[in-house]
Amino acid sequence: MNPIHKKIPVLIHNGKPILESLIIVEYIDEVWKDKSPLMPSDPYKRAHARFWVDYIGKKVYDAGRNIWSSKSGGQETIEAAECYKFVAWAKRCMQKESVSKSLVDPEKVYDFIVMFRQKLGIA
């Protein structure tokens, strides 16, 4: 549904695609103003949130995609130390109640990755 990059994330609203993480978050805040906002109202805090949305979109997503789609599990594209830091960060996030309550069942994530790798022919 992403006519430009052919990648996720894409939000489909009223049959129209909204592309890229930060744009999607800002779109949601604008369309559903009566709900709790996703972005902070303070300009500095909003800029900080934009930085992390951009960082995750550029670094974390690409690193995960490289790991999931690589025949060797991403070892040739990601240094072991970087992967260790990524795993440690993910574990710290999981300790936060706000994160752990909103996560998908790990078994479902694993099943999705197995299916994704099979679809790419690298299972």
Side-chain angles (χ1 to χ4, degrees), residues 6 19 29 37 55-56 61 66 69 79 81 91 100 106 113-114:
K6 308 290 188 219
L19 315 175
D29 274 354
Y55 181 84
I56 289 170
Y61 173 78
N66 288 342
S69 62
E79 295 293 321
K91 286 181 179 179
S100 63
I113 292 170
V114 168

Side-chain angles (χ1 to χ4, degrees), residues 82-101:
E82 286 183 42
C83 190
Y84 171 78
K85 290 177 184 177
F86 181 73
V87 170
W89 170 78
K91 286 181 179 179
R92 287 193 309 274
C93 287
M94 297 274 292
Q95 293 171 351
K96 293 184 176 273
E97 184 179 353
S98 61
V99 174
S100 63
K101 281 183 160 182

Side-chain angles (χ1 to χ4, degrees), residues 66-83:
N66 288 342
I67 290 170
W68 297 342
S69 62
S70 171
K71 291 185 179 189
S72 65
Q75 306 247 337
E76 76 282 353
T77 57
I78 298 175
E79 295 293 321
E82 286 183 42
C83 190

Side-chain angles (χ1 to χ4, degrees), residues 3 5 13 17-18 29 33 39 42 50 58 62 65 71 73 76 90 96 99 104 108 110 116 122:
H5 301 293
H13 183 234
I18 311 301
D29 274 354
K33 289 182 183 193
M39 295 292 281
D42 177 71
R50 285 185 181 119
K58 289 180 179 171
D62 288 342
R65 187 185 67 226
K71 291 185 179 189
E76 76 282 353
K96 293 184 176 273
V99 174
V104 177
K108 289 182 180 181
Y110 176 79
F116 181 72
I122 54 175

